[in-house]
Amino acid sequence: MFRTALRNVLAHKARLLMTVLAVMLGVAFVSGTLVFTDTLGNAYRNQSAKSYDDVAVAVTTYGGQGDGKKSGVDTATLEKIRSLDGVSEATGRVSGFAGVADQDGKLIGNGWSNTGANYSPGKSGKDAAYTFTDGSGPVKNDQIALDKDSAAKGKYKVGDTVRVATNGPVKEYTLAGVFTTEDGAVNAGGSLVLFDTAVAQKLYLQPGYFQDVIIAAEPGASDAKLLDAVQPLLPKDSEAQTGSELADKQAKDIESGLRDLNTMLLAFAAIALFVGVFLIANTFTMLVAQRTKELALLRAVGASRRQVKRSVILEALVVGVIASVVGFALGIGLATGLRSAMGSFGAKVPAGPLIVSPTAVLSALGVGVLITVLAAWLPARRAAKIPPVAAMGSAHLPASTKSLVVRNTLGSIITLGGAAAIFGGAAVGEDTGRMLIGAGAFLALIGIIVLIPLLSRPVIALAKPLLHRVFGVSGKLAGKNAVRNPRRTGATASALAIGLTLVTGLTVIGVTLGQAIDKMTTDNIRADYMVTMAGGGALDKSALTALEKADGVTAVSPQQATSVEVKGTFHSASAVTPGDVQQVFDLKLLSGSLDTLGKGGIAVAEKTAKSNGWKTGDKLPVTVGDDQDGGKSATKTMTVGAIYQDNEFLSPVVVPTSLVAPFEPKPYIPEIWVKTDGGASKANEQALVDALGDNPAMSVMDRQDIRNMFGGMINTMLNIMYGLLAMALLIAVLGVVNTLAMSVFERQQEIGMLRAIGLDRGKVKRMIRLEAVVISLFGAVIGIGLGTFLAWAIGETIRSSIPNYALVLPWERIGIFLLLAGVVGVLASLWPARSAARLNMLTAIKTE
C-alpha cells in the first residue's frame, strides 16, 4: 500500500503541486517566524551580554531629571565610589534627546531614538564605550562627536560645523571625532551625539550630577562585594545591580519583547494553515474521485477499507513531508530576508549567526505534516466507504440526506451560539466583552464553514438570472455548475471567506477609528499649528517665547502637562495661557466661562466634575508643586470657573500657567498650539520655523498634518495586517484553481458533449471563468458580511472610550474587495479554462 501511495503521488503532479504550495507557504511562515525571532533574540542577547562584560556594578537614578532638583549621583559621591577597594574605574553618565541636522537642515534619524550623552575618558584617556575611527572625543564646550552612521548620513567630517538641537534652541558645534558603538539607539536607526561631560550635565540634569554610574572591577574583585560597598553611598532615588544581573534582566526583556512579535506572526501563520486545510481536503477529494475505479479494483482484489484509507493517509504523509521540508528551507530564506529588510527601515541588527533551533525544525515540520494528514483524513474515510461494485460501475457516492441534516443542524447550532456570544460581548464591553467576541467569532466562523454548502444554493441562485441575461448560455451553465457540488464549492468559498472576514473586520474598524480621530481633531482644535519635539519629548520654554514673538501669530498656548492636588487627590492638569486657550481649542462649555482662568479660576472636564461632585462656582483648595526632596509647594483657593466636555487634547483639569510657573522652573511642555493671522499658509508656517531657529528637532504641523499623524498610524497597521494576510488569500486562490480543475475533470464527458452540439472554445472558457468568479464572489460576500458584523461588535466595546465614535462602512474599499475577489476568480480560472477548452471532444465523450 505504501508503494501504491507513492505511485499516486507521482501520478498527479500538477494537482498535488498546489497542495504542496499551500503547506509549503504555511510552514515557511511558521519556520521563518521562529528562526527570525530566535536569531534576533540571540543577536540582541549577545550584544547585551557584551555590553556588560566589563561592568561589575551599574547604578541607575530615578529622580526628577531635568526638573530643577538636585537629583542623581553627584561628583563627590562618584569620587567616593572610585576610592573603594576593588574598583578599577567608575564612569558617570548623563543622557537625553539630541537631534542632528544634515546639510539641508533636516533631522538625521527617526526622532524617538536620537540621543545625546557625555564623553567620559577614564584613566587611559579614552572612553571604553566608544571606538573612534576619526578624530577624538569632545573636550571643549563647543565640540561634539558623532556616531559613524549619522556622520555619513549628514556628510560630515572632522572639523565641520554641526547644528545640534536638544530641547532648547539649535546650537552649532565643531565635530571633534567620529566613532562606532553598540549603543541601542544607534542600532534602532537613531543618532548619538557625545558632548563634553560638563555640557551634557547642564543640558540633561544639573552641573556636577550624573544619572548613571558604571563601575568596573579590578581583577579578582567580587562584584557582589562591590555592590554591597557601593549601595550605602547612593542617594535614595537610585538602584544598583551587578553587571550579570543587568545582562540577565535585559535578556529577559528582549525575550519578552520578541514573544509578542512571535505570537502575532504565528497567529497569521495559523490562519494561513487553517485556510490551507480546505485546499488540501479539496485536493484529496479530487484525487479520490479520479481514482474511483482504481480504489474499487483494490477493494475487489482483497484490500480492506482500512488499507484503502491508510493508502490515502500515507499519500498525504508523503506530500506533507515534502512540502514541510521545502517550506522549512523557504522559511530560513524568509528569516534571512526579514533580517536584511530591517536594515532598509533604518534599524541595525547586531551581527550574529542564523539560529535554527531544534524547536523551530520540529515545530515547523510537525505542523506541516499534521495539517496535511488531518486535512486528508476525511477524503480518505470517504474513499474507504466506496463499495467495490458501485465504484466499478462508476457510481458516485452522494451525501445521504441524514448526513446533510446532521451537518446543517450542527452548523446552525454552532453559528447561533457564536452570534449570541458576539452580541453578548458587544453588550458587556471592555476587555471581557472583547474576549467573548473573540470566542463567538471563532464559533461563528466554524458554524458558517459547516453551513456554507447549504448557503451556496440560495445565494448563488440570486446571481443566476443576471448571469444568463448578460452572458447567455455560458452564464447559465456557470451558475448551475457552481452549485453542482455544494460541499466542494463551500470548501473553496470558505477559504476566501476566512481571509476576507479578517481583512474586512480590520478595515471597518480602522476606517471608523480614523474618522473618529479626524472628527475629534476637527471638533476640538481651532489652532492652525501644533509644535512638538520630533523625539516626543518636552519643548523648552524658549520655544514658547519665540512663538509668541513670531510674525502673524495671534494666539499661543502651551499644553503644559502637570498635576494638582485637590483635597488629597492628585489630578492630571494642563497649564494653558488664559485668553489664548479659547482661540486654539474649541472647548464645549457646559457652564461658566474660560475667562475666569485669568482671574483665579480653573476649568474642569465633565467626568471629573461629576465624579467629585464639583460645580461652577465651587471654591477648591488646589495644591501645586512638590514639597518632597527639598521642593516647594503652595495651596491656593481656586474657583471652578468652567466645566467643559471632555477633550482628548487637554487633561481633566485646566489651570493658568501662572499658577504652576513658580514651582516648575523646567516645565514639561509636550505641545504648543498656535493661531495665526489668515490661517495655515506656507508663509505663516515658514514664519514659525524661522522663529524657532530652523530647529530640525521641532515639528510644525498644521491640522491636516495632525490628522495624517493619527490616521497614518492606523493605515500603517492596516497595511501590515494586509501583508500578513496575503499568504492566506494566496492559498485561497490556489483553492479556487483546484476546485475548477476538479470540476473540469468530473465534467469531461459533459464538456465534450457541449462542444459537439456547438458550444465553441471561447464559450467553454467563459463558462469556467464565470464559475470561478461566482464561487469567489460567494466567498467574498460571506467574508465581508461576517467581518462587518465582527467590526460592529468590537466597536461597541470601545465606543465609550472614543469620542465621536460611529461605525463607518467603507463602501469604496468593500467594492474593491469584491472586485479583487472577481479578479481572483478570473486569474484562478486561466489554467482550468484553457484545459477545458482544449479537450478533444471525441475523447471527452468516451471518458467515463
Side-chain angles (χ1 to χ4, degrees):
M1 295 306 293
F2 179 76
R3 287 197 299 271
T4 301
L6 186 60
R7 183 185 62 80
N8 287 326
V9 169
L10 300 175
H12 305 282
K13 300 180 185 67
R15 298 206 172 90
L16 283 170
L17 176 63
M18 284 178 282
T19 303
V20 169
L21 283 173
V23 180
M24 182 182 71
L25 290 173
V27 170
F29 211 146
V30 172
S31 58
T33 295
L34 295 173
V35 172
F36 174 65
T37 52
D38 285 348
T39 300
L40 212 59
N42 181 72
Y44 281 118
R45 280 192 295 271
N46 288 344
Q47 182 194 51
S48 172
K50 183 180 178 181
S51 65
Y52 289 111
D53 277 348
D54 299 323
V55 176
V57 177
V59 178
T60 304
T61 60
Y62 299 99
Q65 296 167 357
D67 61 2
K69 298 177 183 178
K70 301 292 185 181
S71 58
V73 176
D74 59 24
T75 304
T77 303
L78 181 60
E79 291 301 326
K80 290 179 182 178
I81 293 173
R82 285 173 175 163
S83 65
L84 291 173
D85 290 338
V87 173
S88 170
E89 187 64 69
T91 306
R93 300 289 186 192
V94 286
S95 61
F97 172 80
V100 182
D102 62 15
Q103 302 285 1
D104 298 322
K106 302 298 182 183
L107 182 69
I108 296 174
N110 48 32
W112 58 269
S113 60
N114 289 344
T115 309
N118 66 308
Y119 175 70
S120 182
K123 296 175 183 178
S124 64
K126 297 181 180 180
D127 192 326
Y130 312 105
T131 302
F132 280 83
T133 60
D134 193 12
S136 60
V139 292
K140 298 180 181 179
N141 291 351
D142 63 347
Q143 290 182 333
I144 62 164
L146 269 181
D147 69 272
K148 186 177 180 180
D149 289 343
S150 297
K153 291 174 185 176
K155 299 179 181 178
Y156 290 122
K157 60 183 183 297
V158 172
D160 285 350
T161 298
V162 182
R163 298 174 71 241
V164 180
T166 51
N167 289 353
V170 179
K171 294 183 180 181
E172 293 186 345
Y173 298 87
T174 300
L175 184 61
V178 176
F179 59 88
T180 59
T181 177
E182 290 297 325
D183 186 274
V186 176
N187 286 331
S191 61
L192 178 59
V193 183
L194 295 182
F195 300 93
D196 177 66
T197 294
V199 174
Q201 288 176 328
K202 186 176 179 181
L203 285 172
Y204 300 126
L205 199 59
Q206 292 290 331
Y209 283 78
F210 298 93
Q211 293 163 339
D212 307 312
V213 178
I214 305 300
I215 303 167
E218 292 179 346
S222 167
D223 292 355
K225 288 182 178 179
L226 273 182
L227 178 63
D228 292 338
V230 166
Q231 283 180 328
L233 304 176
L234 302 177
K236 64 180 181 181
D237 62 344
S238 62
E239 179 185 7
Q241 293 176 285
T242 63
S244 58
E245 288 174 341
L246 280 172
D248 291 342
K249 181 179 181 298
Q250 195 162 64
K252 289 179 181 177
D253 291 341
I254 291 169
E255 186 177 343
S256 177
L258 290 174
R259 189 183 298 122
D260 293 336
L261 173 65
N262 196 44
T263 301
M264 182 186 73
L265 292 176
L266 287 177
F268 283 96
I271 292 168
L273 287 168
F274 185 51
V275 171
V277 167
F278 298 97
L279 169 57
I280 297 165
N282 259 1
T283 300
F284 279 94
T285 299
M286 175 169 56
L287 295 177
V288 168
Q290 287 180 337
R291 288 154 44 201
T292 300
K293 280 192 173 183
E294 177 189 325
L295 294 173
L297 184 59
L298 287 173
R299 292 294 311 282
V301 297
S304 66
R305 286 188 175 186
R306 180 176 296 178
Q307 287 178 309
V308 170
K309 181 179 177 180
R310 191 181 301 156
S311 72
V312 178
I313 294 294
L314 283 171
E315 189 175 336
L317 182 64
V318 172
V319 171
V321 170
I322 294 171
S324 297
V325 170
V326 176
F328 185 78
L330 184 63
I332 293 176
L334 179 64
T336 305
L338 284 172
R339 182 175 175 174
S340 300
M342 288 184 70
S344 64
F345 291 102
K348 291 172 61 181
V349 179
L354 196 69
I355 303 301
V356 183
S357 66
T359 301
V361 176
L362 294 176
S363 298
L365 297 182
V367 164
V369 173
L370 183 64
I371 288 293
T372 310
V373 171
L374 287 177
W377 180 80
L378 192 58
R381 185 169 175 269
R382 289 176 183 164
K385 285 185 175 182
I386 298 175
V389 175
M392 291 296 288
S394 300
H396 294 288
L397 197 66
S400 66
T401 303
K402 179 181 178 182
S403 69
L404 292 175
V405 169
V406 171
R407 177 184 180 125
N408 294 335
T409 302
L410 186 62
S412 299
I413 293 171
I414 295 173
T415 303
L416 289 174
I422 293 170
F423 277 115
V428 171
E430 303 300 332
D431 291 339
T432 303
R434 285 188 281 274
M435 289 177 64
L436 273 174
I437 290 171
F442 179 75
L443 290 175
L445 195 59
I446 295 297
I448 287 177
I449 289 171
V450 175
L451 281 177
I452 212 165
L454 177 66
L455 296 172
S456 64
R457 290 185 182 276
V459 174
I460 294 177
L462 297 174
K464 282 184 181 180
L466 180 63
L467 289 171
H468 189 191
R469 192 177 302 115
V470 177
F471 300 102
V473 174
S474 296
K476 183 177 182 179
L477 291 171
K480 289 184 175 181
N481 291 334
V483 293
R484 174 174 291 189
N485 190 327
R487 287 179 183 269
R488 191 174 64 229
T489 297
T492 305
S494 295
L496 279 171
I498 293 167
L500 281 172
T501 294
L502 297 171
V503 168
T504 304
L506 291 169
T507 300
V508 172
I509 291 173
V511 171
T512 299
L513 288 176
Q515 293 209 12
I517 291 171
D518 189 72
K519 193 171 189 304
M520 178 179 69
T521 305
T522 304
D523 289 353
N524 294 327
I525 297 175
R526 288 179 178 173
D528 298 312
Y529 296 99
M530 178 180 74
V531 179
T532 61
M533 288 297 292
L539 291 155
D540 191 77
K541 284 192 297 185
S542 60
L544 180 61
T545 304
L547 290 170
E548 290 171 340
K549 297 177 181 179
D551 293 337
V553 171
T554 58
V556 177
S557 177
Q559 194 288 99
Q560 180 178 327
T562 184
S563 65
V564 296
E565 183 182 356
V566 182
K567 296 181 178 179
T569 302
F570 282 93
H571 300 272
S572 61
S574 293
V576 299
T577 303
D580 286 7
V581 66
Q582 299 96 312
Q583 299 182 57
V584 298
F585 289 110
D586 188 8
L587 292 176
K588 309 295 190 299
L589 295 182
L590 302 176
S591 62
S593 170
L594 291 176
D595 293 336
T596 57
L597 287 174
K599 304 172 184 177
I602 62 173
V604 182
E606 180 184 10
K607 291 181 181 177
T608 301
K610 283 184 177 179
S611 63
N612 290 278
W614 300 337
K615 59 183 184 299
T616 306
D618 285 354
K619 296 188 180 298
L620 304 174
V622 178
T623 302
V624 292
D626 185 359
D627 58 5
Q628 296 182 2
D629 301 323
K632 59 181 181 176
S633 65
T635 301
K636 296 186 179 182
T637 300
M638 307 292 289
T639 302
V640 178
I643 294 177
Y644 60 91
Q645 287 184 4
D646 287 74
N647 187 295
E648 293 299 308
F649 296 94
L650 288 172
S651 297
V653 177
V654 175
V655 300
T657 52
S658 59
L659 178 66
V660 297
F663 309 95
E664 297 182 359
K666 290 189 177 181
Y668 185 79
I669 306 175
E671 306 145 13
I672 299 175
W673 299 86
V674 184
K675 186 76 174 175
T676 56
D677 187 16
S681 66
K682 288 185 178 179
N684 283 335
E685 182 176 341
Q686 189 59 48
L688 299 184
V689 171
D690 291 341
L692 294 169
D694 195 17
N695 192 319
M698 292 185 185
S699 299
V700 179
M701 294 185 285
D702 60 20
R703 291 193 203 180
Q704 188 58 50
D705 292 330
I706 297 169
R707 288 197 288 265
N708 291 342
M709 178 178 67
F710 291 111
M713 292 166 57
I714 293 172
N715 288 331
T716 299
M717 290 178 64
L718 281 178
N719 290 334
I720 291 172
M721 296 300 179
Y722 290 161
L724 292 172
L725 288 170
M727 191 170 293
L729 292 175
L730 176 60
I731 294 173
V733 172
L734 295 176
V736 178
V737 176
N738 245 12
T739 295
L740 293 174
M742 181 176 182
S743 179
V744 169
F745 167 77
E746 289 182 348
R747 295 174 1 230
Q748 287 186 64
Q749 190 176 58
E750 174 189 319
I751 291 171
M753 291 295 294
L754 290 172
R755 294 276 288 112
I757 61 176
L759 194 69
D760 60 33
R761 288 185 174 182
K763 289 181 179 179
V764 170
K765 287 183 179 180
R766 187 183 305 160
M767 174 183 71
I768 302 299
R769 287 171 186 162
L770 289 173
E771 182 180 346
V773 170
V774 167
I775 293 173
S776 298
L777 289 177
F778 170 55
V781 168
I782 296 295
I784 289 170
L786 183 56
T788 303
F789 176 48
L790 292 175
W792 164 82
I794 293 171
E796 291 299 303
T797 67
I798 59 177
R799 175 187 290 274
S800 60
S801 59
I802 300 178
N804 305 310
Y805 182 90
L807 186 69
V808 177
L809 295 181
W811 294 110
E812 70 286 348
R813 296 199 189 190
I814 290 175
I816 291 173
F817 295 158
L818 288 171
L819 179 63
L820 289 175
V823 171
V824 163
V826 172
L827 294 176
S829 68
L830 292 178
W831 173 52
R834 184 170 177 270
S835 299
R838 295 180 66 182
L839 283 174
N840 183 291
M841 65 181 76
L842 295 177
T843 302
I845 290 171
K846 291 189 295 180
T847 301
E848 296 184 8

